Amino acid sequence: MAGKKIVLRHPAYQSLLSAAKNIESAADVPAVPQQAVDLLQNARANVRSAVEVLMERDPLKHRLGMICLMIQESTTYKLDKIDGQMVEVVEVTDDYMFSWAVRELHGLAVKFKS
């Protein structure tokens, strides 16, 4: 009996891949300013990260991926020089997304303790 390979895909998978391809095409247009190209490349990386998370089959890895993605998207990180010292600065840019991710992260810790 021949084996049959079934690939399960998230409903948003095709539209996310299409968005990534459109972003790549826009970055190839010569008249697009470099700032726009940088912004598009950042968006493409975010879309690809989202696709990878959506395609994860292991429920725990999927959940952890979503939490990490939400924390990354809801914060900014930079090094600043303050009073001659290099200081790490993390700014929360989306309170709702950040609080969701922290709640989910703390919920996972409770599951592991049980």
Side-chain angles (χ1 to χ4, degrees):
M1 182 171 166
K4 187 175 184 181
K5 184 176 182 180
I6 298 173
V7 178
L8 300 175
R9 294 187 188 242
H10 191 277
Y13 178 73
Q14 287 301 329
S15 60
L16 286 172
L17 280 183
S18 175
K21 287 180 184 174
N22 289 340
I23 290 169
E24 289 171 6
S25 298
D28 292 336
V29 176
V32 175
Q34 185 59 40
Q35 277 187 321
V37 171
D38 294 342
L39 185 63
L40 289 170
Q41 289 173 340
N42 187 27
R44 181 180 60 202
N46 290 341
V47 168
R48 293 222 183 265
S49 295
V51 169
E52 289 173 12
V53 169
L54 288 172
M55 295 303 295
E56 180 57 57
R57 292 181 183 206
D58 180 0
L60 180 59
K61 287 182 182 177
H62 185 270
R63 190 157 205 83
L64 287 170
M66 287 298 292
I67 291 169
C68 290
L69 199 57
M70 292 301 162
I71 289 174
Q72 184 178 13
E73 290 301 312
S74 65
T75 58
T76 60
Y77 171 84
K78 63 182 176 180
L79 288 173
D80 272 345
K81 196 169 193 175
I82 299 176
D83 296 329
Q85 300 277 39
M86 293 304 290
V87 179
E88 295 177 279
V89 178
V90 177
E91 180 183 350
V92 176
T93 56
D94 187 327
D95 292 332
Y96 179 78
M97 198 183 310
F98 182 77
S99 62
W100 176 88
V102 170
R103 271 194 317 274
E104 292 296 312
L105 188 60
H106 282 273
L108 282 176
V110 170
K111 290 179 186 176
F112 285 120
K113 288 180 184 177
S114 302

